[in-house]
Amino acid sequence: MAACMLTAAMRINAAATTGKEYYDSVEVSLLTCSPHEEVYSLYGHSAIRFHDMHKSQGDWVFNWGIFNFKAPHFVARFVFGLTDYELGVVGYKEFCDYYRRWGSMVTEQVLNLTTDEKAELQRLLSDNIKEENRIYRYNFFYDNCSTRPRNIIEKAITGSVKYQPRTDYNPTWREMVRQKTANHHWATFGNDMLLGIRADQTTDLRQQEFLPENLLYDFDRAQIINLDGTVRQLVSDRRMAVEPGVQIIERDFPLSPTECALIMLVVVLLLSVSEWKRTKTYVAVDALLITMTGLAGCVLFIMVFSEHPTTSINLQLLLVNPLHLAFLPSVVRRRKSRYWPLLLTMTALFLIGAIFQSYAEGMITLALCLLTRWGINRHCTKQKA
């Protein structure tokens, strides 16, 4: 990668010393890659192709989606919104071969740029691949591999880009994420657990372009308004760089989050019937539920301090939070505890919160499990009094 970037930088920089006639042989495109089965790829990908058709400077793809799983504390930094991505440069054939192996389709939109705009874009790309500039603080919704190409293309254009509004498309952040993970129930569950109430806000056109397929759609219909008021289409040609291939579909866990939650509810109800008859609670059931919700709550609580803009206010914390663990000793020892009245209050507030926030799959069922435990403990306590 380093050698490839150095070669690209030398050749792209060399282009800056040539005259404007050089750019007549340059074609600049937006590449949009369809998802494949790796979790990180479910949302698609965008990149910029800089193609010298006379081959004197080569054929390069500028890709803002490079990250390193092996970087120190990668998972922790990702959770807290402190992940650094970087701009990478690879040959066009190598880029296409990678997505061909995964069975992903790559769509190419040739941009209708003037020679001056191509020269300016070349200058911006050359500046971006410098050691001190190529690393950036990644943000899933606001600064990613889709927004970066869009922004640098817009910056190179003399005049302004006018996008056509989509009156029939007004999704929330959560709805767009769910659309991309629709075939992966547990990925959807994880996202919905971490995303808070702000993810249920309706997005505008520019916000929707964090998804590569939305940027592709908008570029197809966009126009460039020149300084003299004349208009030209942003995209001059569209073609298939890589045909869609065969993808190996990896199976998720066989049970969905809803099915797991329903199984848990059935077990809790059956045990509660037995407890009702015997007027005796099974403390192990309460301990298991309290531990599970408390540990999950620790993860959600940590996300409150994340720099991800849509995770700080999460109403699911009303149901799943670290407070459960604080009351675990008193519940296990069967001492009189304030846990059960508090649980009832928090669960009621959680259910009311469903009006304002879309919860993760199975969370309402979990709330029913906890309410059942509140009811059986209240009944047994009254019978013993």
Side-chain angles (χ1 to χ4, degrees), residues 135-200:
I135 297 176
Y136 70 101
R137 180 55 48 83
Y138 175 84
N139 184 291
F140 181 65
F141 286 136
Y142 296 108
D143 196 358
N144 66 7
C145 69
S146 181
T147 62
R148 285 261 161 172
R150 177 198 65 190
N151 293 345
I152 200 170
I153 289 168
E154 290 178 346
K155 191 173 182 180
I157 289 173
T158 303
S160 60
V161 178
K162 180 182 179 182
Y163 297 99
Q164 299 300 318
R166 300 174 66 176
T167 57
D168 58 340
Y169 185 69
N170 299 289
T172 64
W173 298 105
R174 192 186 305 276
E175 287 170 343
M176 288 187 286
V177 171
R178 282 178 174 174
Q179 177 194 359
K180 306 309 293 183
T181 61
N183 296 324
H184 299 268
H185 292 294
W186 287 99
T188 302
F189 173 80
N191 289 334
D192 281 340
M193 282 295 293
L194 298 180
L195 293 175
I197 194 170
R198 292 180 182 175
D200 294 292

Side-chain angles (χ1 to χ4, degrees), residues 82-369:
L82 302 174
T83 311
D84 289 331
Y85 275 43
E86 64 180 275
L87 169 63
V89 185
V90 297
Y92 173 70
K93 182 180 183 301
E94 181 183 349
F95 182 86
C96 289
D97 286 345
Y98 172 83
Y99 283 95
R100 189 176 289 109
R101 287 194 298 271
W102 283 103
S104 294
M105 176 178 67
V106 178
T107 303
E108 181 177 12
Q109 292 167 295
V110 181
L111 303 180
N112 187 19
L113 304 182
T114 65
T115 55
D116 286 339
E117 289 167 344
K118 293 175 186 177
E120 176 62 10
L121 182 59
Q122 172 272 317
R123 186 191 68 78
L124 292 171
L125 291 173
S126 177
D127 187 60
N128 265 243
I129 60 176
K130 291 179 180 177
E131 182 73 25
E132 64 271 22
N133 295 334
R134 71 170 188 261
I135 297 176
Y136 70 101
R137 180 55 48 83
Y138 175 84
N139 184 291
F140 181 65
F141 286 136
Y142 296 108
D143 196 358
N144 66 7
C145 69
S146 181
T147 62
R148 285 261 161 172
R150 177 198 65 190
N151 293 345
I152 200 170
I153 289 168
E154 290 178 346
K155 191 173 182 180
I157 289 173
T158 303
S160 60
V161 178
K162 180 182 179 182
Y163 297 99
Q164 299 300 318
R166 300 174 66 176
T167 57
D168 58 340
Y169 185 69
N170 299 289
T172 64
W173 298 105
R174 192 186 305 276
E175 287 170 343
M176 288 187 286
V177 171
R178 282 178 174 174
Q179 177 194 359
K180 306 309 293 183
T181 61
N183 296 324
H184 299 268
H185 292 294
W186 287 99
T188 302
F189 173 80
N191 289 334
D192 281 340
M193 282 295 293
L194 298 180
L195 293 175
I197 194 170
R198 292 180 182 175
D200 294 292
Q201 295 176 349
T202 302
T203 55
D204 59 29
L205 180 144
R206 195 162 187 83
Q207 291 171 330
Q208 293 157 11
E209 289 173 350
F210 88 95
L211 284 180
E213 69 173 27
N214 287 341
L215 184 64
L216 179 148
Y217 182 94
D218 292 340
F219 263 40
D220 268 342
R221 292 154 182 79
Q223 296 176 320
I224 298 174
I225 311 300
N226 300 313
L227 295 178
D228 61 3
T230 57
V231 177
R232 57 191 153 108
Q233 293 300 121
L234 174 60
V235 174
S236 61
D237 189 22
R238 174 172 170 167
R239 54 199 179 215
M240 196 78 69
V242 176
E243 296 286 343
V246 177
Q247 295 195 14
I248 299 175
I249 306 299
E250 298 179 1
R251 290 186 176 183
D252 279 353
F253 184 72
L255 298 178
S256 71
T258 294
E259 290 167 339
C260 289
L262 287 174
I263 291 172
M264 181 171 60
L265 178 60
V266 170
V267 172
V268 167
L269 288 174
L270 291 175
L271 291 172
S272 297
V273 169
S274 174
E275 291 170 304
W276 184 282
K277 292 179 179 179
R278 299 180 60 187
T279 319
K280 179 181 179 181
T281 56
Y282 300 143
V283 68
V285 179
D286 293 326
L288 181 61
L289 282 174
I290 289 172
T291 302
M292 181 180 66
T293 52
L295 291 176
C298 290
V299 176
L300 291 194
F301 182 72
I302 289 173
M303 294 303 295
V304 170
F305 304 97
S306 172
E307 291 190 11
H308 290 295
T310 56
T311 61
S312 57
I313 305 174
N314 192 338
L315 299 184
Q316 292 172 120
L317 271 167
L318 291 168
L319 186 72
V320 180
N321 61 72
L323 282 177
H324 290 279
L325 297 177
F327 287 97
L328 181 59
S330 64
V331 172
V332 170
R333 294 171 186 171
R334 300 180 186 274
R335 293 177 179 176
K336 187 176 181 179
S337 174
R338 295 180 181 177
Y339 175 70
W340 299 112
L342 178 63
L343 175 65
L344 177 62
T345 302
M346 300 294 279
T347 305
L349 291 174
F350 165 81
L351 293 174
I352 294 171
I355 300 172
F356 308 99
Q357 179 178 328
S358 180
Y359 293 148
E361 186 180 347
M363 288 296 287
I364 298 296
T365 307
L366 175 61
L368 295 178
C369 289

